[in-house]
Amino acid sequence: MGRTMTKQTKFVLDEEHIPRSWYNIAADLPQAPPPVLHPGTGQPIGPGDLAPLFPMELIKQVVSTEREIEIPEPVRDAYRLYRPSPLFRAHRLEQALDTPAHIYYKYEGGSPSGSHKPNTAIPQAFYNKQEGVTRLATETGAGQWGSALAFAGAAFGLEIKVYMVRSSYDQKPYRRVLMETYGAEVVPSPSVDTQYGRSVLADTPAHTGSLGIAISEAIEDTVTHPGTKYSLGSVFDFVLLHQTVIGQESIEQMEMAGEEPDVIIGCAGGGSNFAGLTFPWLGRTFRGGRAYRVIAAEPEAAPSLTRGVYAYDFGDTAKMTPLVKMYTLGSGFIPEPIHAGGLRYHGMSPLVSLLKDIGAIEAQSVHQRACFEAGVQFARTEGILPAPEPTHALKVAVDEALEARESGEERVILFNLCGHGHFDLSAYERHLSGQLEDYEYPAERVEAALAALPRV
Ligand SMILES: *Cc1c(COP(=O)(O)O)cnc(C)c1O
């Protein structure tokens, strides 16, 4: 500390700069995405197949190839609570790393629920309300998505039911309390509220749950309750679309800073914050602009992009969802409870998976202890305590900056700090007291998952 700050640190846009449209990468993709298949027939699904789950406006967005999809005014109004989000230059972190690299981060932790998730929770609640839906069912892992949807439900007057993965429900009681404060009903998953949950509990009464199981429960809830639709916080194309406000703002803010990134990094669980930051930049490349190195950072404990296979798989454990082609560890994936870093989904968004398959993006996996170390260093230099998930992006950014030091290169690095860690202090406590262990996903389990994939 004690350093005088002569250079600009924070790049702020005013409200008129909240984007007026979302950026739809489908307009610019070099290759069309593989079709989504019906789980029963194996044939490509149509919009009608999704109608029981989602409102029509969201289904239209999934099939649209328009480059720009207008953001409704009530959604922009709600975005005004916390958007545009700030972009920071991490001068103090750069100094601590003694690197010639310039490190920038887009900070999404200033939203009401503390992450990027309200960027899609708000429009999902809005469109459902507009089409007469009264109740939404959803799943949540670490609790960030549940909190975001609970907030959006309160804002638009919708009832929210959240199936929360049991291990998180037990480890993160304050996330549950936040959801309940917003008015949502929260149950641990597997729960006794669905037939599927009861069947899992009958086999394994102490089951710690998984996102795949919680998704199955939320979908069963949706199709068995009239007036209810399903909502999800990652993976699906329209979720990624809504997150592109992040990248669009970052393009303007990097212009304010007078720089262009060489490397752009996001952590990837289902792929939405990663896509939100990087797709608008990738779109410029696909339309003939310069290429950037774009890196998805994921945990060694759930390494779908780096160790999974690119194949058709189910999005949930009960095999109720359509089949999508994606990088997957198999829909039976159960994360190790020792893993504290989030990003535990078995698959990856089909769009992000396609980009990895065609070589437009890279992926790296990182161990959780190194991530938490980077998180602590970031808190001590930049002041913001990152959520465990974005410490994966941070760790990769730090490695890039250290490499630039070795080679004496002036590298410009941009990463997404997609949430704060104020609800993750027990994970930080375990890290600080030396209780966290690294966990590498075993090769045998990757092979077993591959063998169990559905045949299409
Ligand atoms: C939900 C969440 C993630 C993982 O989801 P993505 O769709 O991959 O972005 C990552 N970071 C934070 C802070 C989250 O809330």
Side-chain angles (χ1 to χ4, degrees), residues 177-257:
V177 176
L178 180 62
M179 289 183 259
E180 289 172 349
T181 304
Y182 283 131
E185 184 193 347
V186 187
V187 291
S189 165
S191 78
V192 294
D193 292 7
T194 66
Q195 209 181 347
Y196 184 65
R198 288 190 295 273
S199 76
V200 174
L201 287 173
D203 284 347
T204 316
H207 205 297
T208 52
S210 72
L211 267 175
I213 292 170
I215 293 170
S216 299
E217 288 205 274
I219 292 178
E220 182 186 325
D221 179 307
T222 302
V223 298
T224 53
H225 289 79
T228 297
K229 297 263 187 216
Y230 171 63
S231 183
L232 81 178
S234 188
V235 182
F236 232 66
D237 293 9
F238 64 67
V239 177
L240 276 57
L241 174 80
H242 300 155
Q243 293 296 350
T244 58
V245 289
I246 303 172
Q248 293 183 67
E249 289 174 5
S250 78
I251 288 175
E252 274 198 61
Q253 288 162 314
M254 288 302 296
E255 274 164 16
M256 286 169 79

Side-chain angles (χ1 to χ4, degrees), residues 114-117 144-145 233-235 267-274 343 387 389-390 418-420:
S115 79
H116 64 290
K117 297 269 183 9
Q144 276 139 329
W145 168 243
S234 188
V235 182
C267 68
S272 75
N273 88 84
F274 169 78
L343 310 171
E389 293 86 350
C418 57
H420 68 64

Side-chain angles (χ1 to χ4, degrees), residues 96-393:
L97 298 171
D98 190 23
T99 176
H102 296 181
I103 306 174
Y104 291 86
Y105 58 96
K106 182 76 167 151
Y107 183 48
E108 292 292 313
S111 79
S113 63
S115 79
H116 64 290
K117 297 269 183 9
N119 297 335
T120 185
I122 291 166
Q124 288 190 50
F126 167 75
Y127 289 121
N128 275 289
K129 182 71 180 182
Q130 209 186 25
E131 295 185 27
V133 174
T134 55
R135 179 175 174 274
L136 294 173
T138 197
E139 69 284 340
T140 195
Q144 276 139 329
W145 168 243
S147 311
L149 192 67
F151 150 68
F156 289 94
L158 290 162
E159 246 181 88
I160 306 291
K161 171 76 177 264
V162 182
Y163 293 86
M164 184 174 190
V165 174
R166 169 111 240 171
S167 53
S168 303
Y169 185 94
D170 293 339
Q171 282 167 21
K172 301 180 78 178
Y174 297 130
R175 274 283 169 198
R176 170 176 59 76
V177 176
L178 180 62
M179 289 183 259
E180 289 172 349
T181 304
Y182 283 131
E185 184 193 347
V186 187
V187 291
S189 165
S191 78
V192 294
D193 292 7
T194 66
Q195 209 181 347
Y196 184 65
R198 288 190 295 273
S199 76
V200 174
L201 287 173
D203 284 347
T204 316
H207 205 297
T208 52
S210 72
L211 267 175
I213 292 170
I215 293 170
S216 299
E217 288 205 274
I219 292 178
E220 182 186 325
D221 179 307
T222 302
V223 298
T224 53
H225 289 79
T228 297
K229 297 263 187 216
Y230 171 63
S231 183
L232 81 178
S234 188
V235 182
F236 232 66
D237 293 9
F238 64 67
V239 177
L240 276 57
L241 174 80
H242 300 155
Q243 293 296 350
T244 58
V245 289
I246 303 172
Q248 293 183 67
E249 289 174 5
S250 78
I251 288 175
E252 274 198 61
Q253 288 162 314
M254 288 302 296
E255 274 164 16
M256 286 169 79
E259 299 214 83
E260 226 186 317
D262 301 300
V263 193
I264 309 172
I265 307 163
C267 68
S272 75
N273 88 84
F274 169 78
L277 176 68
T278 65
F279 281 11
W281 292 95
L282 283 165
R284 300 204 328 176
T285 307
F286 294 150
R287 294 192 299 276
R290 73 166 265 218
Y292 312 98
R293 282 183 59 222
V294 175
I295 308 174
E298 63 179 12
E300 282 275 2
S304 57
L305 274 175
T306 49
R307 305 264 307 280
V309 288
Y310 186 48
Y312 273 98
D313 198 4
F314 293 98
D316 70 325
T317 310
K319 307 187 175 178
M320 295 196 270
T321 67
L323 287 163
V324 292
K325 192 161 185 190
M326 61 179 175
Y327 278 90
T328 179
L329 296 165
S331 61
F333 174 72
I334 306 288
E336 287 303 309
I338 60 158
H339 174 61
L343 310 171
R344 297 176 179 88
Y345 188 56
H346 69 271
M348 182 54 62
S349 125
L351 283 171
V352 172
S353 296
L354 174 68
L355 292 170
K356 169 72 170 35
D357 191 57
I358 65 175
I361 64 167
E362 304 166 31
Q364 282 181 32
S365 61
V366 269
H367 275 299
Q368 67 174 351
R369 282 195 296 193
C371 290
F372 277 99
E373 258 159 50
V376 170
Q377 182 176 38
F378 192 84
R380 290 177 186 176
T381 50
E382 294 296 311
I384 297 172
L385 182 80
E389 293 86 350
T391 63
H392 294 76

Side-chain angles (χ1 to χ4, degrees), residues 434-446:
Q435 290 171 59
L436 277 190
E437 286 163 48
D438 285 336
Y439 176 81
E440 198 168 307
Y441 196 62
E444 312 84 73
R445 286 180 62 186
V446 177

